[in-house]
């Protein structure tokens, strides 16, 4: 399943616990922040937190954002 299908499913799946849902959505936010980062720059934890809040109404802390960046794969640059 692609990441975006996982994100959409996680947002609607009432059987997931909060931590699992947050981790999936955080990975989506990290990927989206990476795509929105200026060419040659990496997404920052702050950008991931902003995307998570703005796009998914999810509050992440810096540790969650850093973990999502590590899990989201290679950074642009």
């Amino acid at each position: 399943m692609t990441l975006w299908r996982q994100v959409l499913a996680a947002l609607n799946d009432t059987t997931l616990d909060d931590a699992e849902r947050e981790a999936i959505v955080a990975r989506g936010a990290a990927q989206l922040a990476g795509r929105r980062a200026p060419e040659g720059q990496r997404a920052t934890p702050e950008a991931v937190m902003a995307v998570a809040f703005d796009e998914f109404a999810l509050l992440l802390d810096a540790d969650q954002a850093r973990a999502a960046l590590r899990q989201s794969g290679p950074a642009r640059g």
Side-chain angles (χ1 to χ4, degrees), residues 1-76:
M1 184 182 303
T2 67
L3 176 59
W4 293 110
R5 287 181 190 236
Q6 290 176 343
V7 169
L8 290 173
L11 291 171
N12 294 304
D13 188 345
T14 58
T15 65
L16 292 176
D17 64 28
D18 289 341
E20 190 173 1
R21 180 179 297 107
E22 286 175 3
I24 294 168
V25 176
R27 284 197 322 268
Q31 186 177 84
L32 191 52
R35 290 181 183 195
R36 291 179 179 176
E39 191 67 35
Q41 295 184 18
R42 296 174 182 223
T44 63
E46 292 78 15
V48 174
M49 291 186 292
V51 168
F53 182 76
D54 293 342
E55 301 295 336
F56 305 114
L58 176 66
L59 288 173
L60 297 177
D61 62 31
D63 289 335
Q64 291 171 306
R66 281 190 289 273
L69 282 169
R70 284 191 301 271
Q71 295 174 355
S72 70
R76 283 178 33 179

